[in-house]
Amino acid sequence: MAAPRLHDRSRGAYRSPRPRQEPDRHRFFEIVVDEAQDCSELDLAILEQMHRAGLPLVVVADTDQGIYEWNDARPQDLHSFTRRPPTHLELNGNWHSSPPVCQLAATLRPTARSIPDDPVGDHHDTAVPLLLLPYGRHGRKTSGLLDASDAGEAFVGHAARVDIAAADCMALAYRNDAVPKARSRPALNHPKGTDARALAWAAAVFTAAEAPAAARKHALAIASALLNDYWHPDTEETLADSLTAHGIAPAIMRRRAGQFLTALPLVDATPARDWRSTARSVLRTQLPPSGIQPTAPKILSLTAKQLDQPIGSLIGVPQTDSESTPAAAMRSPPFTRRKAARPTRSSSIFPNPRASPNYSRHGPIR
């Protein structure tokens, strides 16, 4: 029998006045339903028949935790069902979250239920603030973090600063393909220039095994342009025309650009001025095919404000006490197992409401 027809027949059987209630009444002493926000319309119909048969019924639910609406578990059906039992008890104690988490969660609920939970568990006096990491494009503004993986990597880096390992972090998202992927370097928006920040981006992306092909290609283009500027400082030709004029095959230039990028220092918490100085020293070792040593390079500009900032922070790599960005991935268990995971720190990925209109259909995210 097709699933919809079987579902309709089952619903009709439990809503019909057939003498099925007595066996249920003698079989069960009491019915306790936890996580009832995930009950479907058919589940609630069965519970309603048991309640009408005189069975004591305890229903525990939080519609703000509903994750099975795709499977016919609708909050409005649960609200209608829970209005019928005579006794209601509001449970406002939160055993798992800190005060800042309870306060933020309250802002994500509809206005009628925006009172924060009362933290009563082990973290009831924890005042560690929440970390908000905008990523992607927001109107005309573009964040330094391109996607959820960038945000996840930054989150792991911040956790490392307070001695929390990546294995003790967990990522939650509104769907599985939105969970941050493991990555050892950020893949930010492709820089348009050839300054020190652009070269640092190119070095970080090119040495990351999981970097997208388009990002690696752009990294090679940045390094190729810088090598050409160093070898031929007076030329005003395009890179392609300059290579042709000096008899350098594009494949040779790409190979030299790759060698240059892999020879550059690690993009970490080193002050930008020091990283640039080392990068210029590496650049001086990159002789042109002619073998003639060019003059000392005066390229790789930085603004005065950028000179003392960590070079990694200029391209979105989080600062840590270690010598490299943590490459381990956060755990990302399915929603059905998220409570059992019990992470030390968790990262929740919220989508753009315009891109995912169904995510906030029951109230805007404020």
Side-chain angles (χ1 to χ4, degrees):
M1 180 180 294
R5 293 181 58 194
L6 178 60
H7 187 276
D8 293 341
R9 181 171 296 184
S10 300
R11 184 192 297 114
Y14 268 93
R15 286 184 171 175
S16 65
R18 291 166 53 181
R20 183 188 175 90
Q21 300 170 354
E22 286 301 320
D24 290 340
R25 185 174 183 178
H26 292 291
R27 182 181 176 186
F28 301 107
F29 176 76
E30 184 180 39
I31 302 295
V32 179
V33 183
D34 194 12
E35 306 290 356
Q37 71 274 0
D38 298 327
C39 288
S40 66
E41 182 184 11
L42 176 58
D43 297 331
L44 296 177
I46 294 172
L47 294 175
E48 182 177 358
Q49 287 296 322
M50 291 181 171
H51 178 62
R52 289 180 179 179
L55 279 168
L57 183 64
V58 178
V59 176
V60 183
D62 182 358
T63 54
D64 293 321
Q65 297 187 37
I67 59 174
Y68 286 103
E69 189 170 351
W70 58 270
N71 196 30
D72 203 29
R74 295 187 291 267
Q76 59 269 29
D77 291 341
L78 180 63
H79 284 306
S80 299
F81 175 79
T82 54
R83 281 198 297 265
R84 289 190 282 274
T87 305
H88 290 79
L89 178 63
E90 293 288 337
L91 303 177
N92 297 319
N94 190 313
W95 289 89
H96 302 300
S97 302
S98 65
V101 172
C102 290
Q103 293 167 11
L104 176 63
T107 69
L108 303 178
R109 298 171 182 160
T111 304
R113 303 195 306 278
S114 60
I115 299 176
D117 293 344
D118 182 19
V120 295
D122 294 339
H123 306 289
H124 69 279
D125 57 352
T126 300
V128 176
L130 297 171
L131 179 66
L132 299 180
L133 297 170
Y135 65 90
R137 184 178 297 275
H138 304 271
R140 295 183 178 179
K141 297 182 179 179
T142 300
S143 171
L145 304 173
L146 181 61
D147 53 24
S149 291
D150 281 338
E153 185 176 82
F155 178 83
V156 170
H158 282 283
R161 297 178 66 182
V162 291
D163 298 324
I164 298 175
D168 294 324
C169 298
M170 183 175 69
L172 300 176
Y174 66 107
R175 66 172 189 263
N176 288 339
D177 61 0
V179 173
K181 306 299 186 296
R183 195 163 61 199
S184 60
R185 289 288 183 270
L188 310 182
N189 289 324
H190 296 179
K192 296 180 180 180
T194 54
D195 56 8
R197 179 181 176 275
L199 181 60
W201 177 92
V205 168
F206 189 76
T207 56
E210 73 288 344
R216 292 173 62 86
K217 181 178 179 180
H218 190 70
L220 287 173
I222 292 174
S224 298
L226 284 169
L227 287 175
N228 185 65
D229 291 343
Y230 172 48
W231 293 344
H232 315 113
D234 298 326
T235 184
E236 296 182 357
E237 301 171 312
T238 64
L239 175 61
D241 291 340
S242 179
L243 294 180
T244 301
H246 294 89
I248 303 175
I252 297 297
M253 178 56 104
R254 287 193 296 270
R255 187 180 308 159
R256 293 294 305 274
Q259 294 171 350
F260 173 41
L261 290 175
T262 55
L264 288 169
L266 185 68
V267 180
D268 53 13
T270 301
R273 68 167 75 236
D274 296 336
W275 189 92
R276 181 181 65 175
S277 177
T278 304
R280 283 176 171 171
S281 297
V282 173
L283 182 58
R284 282 194 290 270
T285 66
Q286 307 298 311
L287 299 180
S290 64
I292 300 175
Q293 178 75 57
T295 58
K298 296 181 180 181
I299 51 181
L300 302 180
S301 61
L302 285 169
T303 66
K305 184 178 180 180
Q306 294 173 336
L307 287 173
D308 295 317
Q309 295 186 36
I311 187 63
S313 70
L314 296 182
I315 66 166
V317 175
Q319 301 178 47
T320 69
D321 294 332
S322 62
E323 295 183 354
S324 62
T325 302
M330 289 184 287
R331 290 178 292 159
S332 49
F335 266 109
T336 51
R337 298 202 301 270
R338 71 194 188 282
K339 290 184 178 179
R342 300 292 175 87
T344 303
R345 290 290 183 272
S346 64
S347 171
S348 298
I349 310 300
F350 293 94
N352 184 332
R354 294 182 179 179
S356 304
N358 292 335
Y359 182 67
S360 56
R361 79 176 83 178
H362 298 299
I365 296 178
R366 294 181 288 122

